Amino acid sequence: MDSLIYNHTYYCESITINCIPVYYLEPNTRISIFDEKSNIFGEYIVKSFNIPLAYNGSMSITATKAEDLIL
């Protein structure tokens, strides 16, 4: 699995997202991003994330671009 993730990701293209906490998210999870405002569309692999301890904090997710389809 590690070799598939390594071979099918674009390490030069990464994004950081600030959002409400998503407690079930794990590293190396494939997520879909569709944001017309920032013109970001596609599949991304979660690289790391920070979950705040405060009840009103926001989560930070760092992800790298993945291929749309892994064969």
Side-chain angles (χ1 to χ4, degrees), residues 37-57:
K37 185 177 179 182
S38 61
N39 200 22
I40 297 174
F41 303 100
E43 301 285 320
Y44 288 81
I45 304 289
V46 175
K47 191 162 111 179
S48 65
F49 57 87
N50 296 322
I51 298 177
L53 296 176
Y55 71 93
N56 60 353

Side-chain angles (χ1 to χ4, degrees), residues 8-18 31 33 38-49 60-67:
H8 297 284
T9 54
Y10 301 101
Y11 289 102
C12 60
E13 185 176 344
S14 66
I15 59 172
T16 301
I17 304 165
N18 292 321
I31 58 173
I33 308 283
S38 61
N39 200 22
I40 297 174
F41 303 100
E43 301 285 320
Y44 288 81
I45 304 289
V46 175
K47 191 162 111 179
S48 65
F49 57 87
S60 175
I61 302 170
T62 303
T64 55
K65 179 112 174 122
E67 284 188 17

Side-chain angles (χ1 to χ4, degrees), residues 4 8 67 69-71:
L4 281 174
H8 297 284
E67 284 188 17
L69 180 64
I70 296 176
L71 300 175

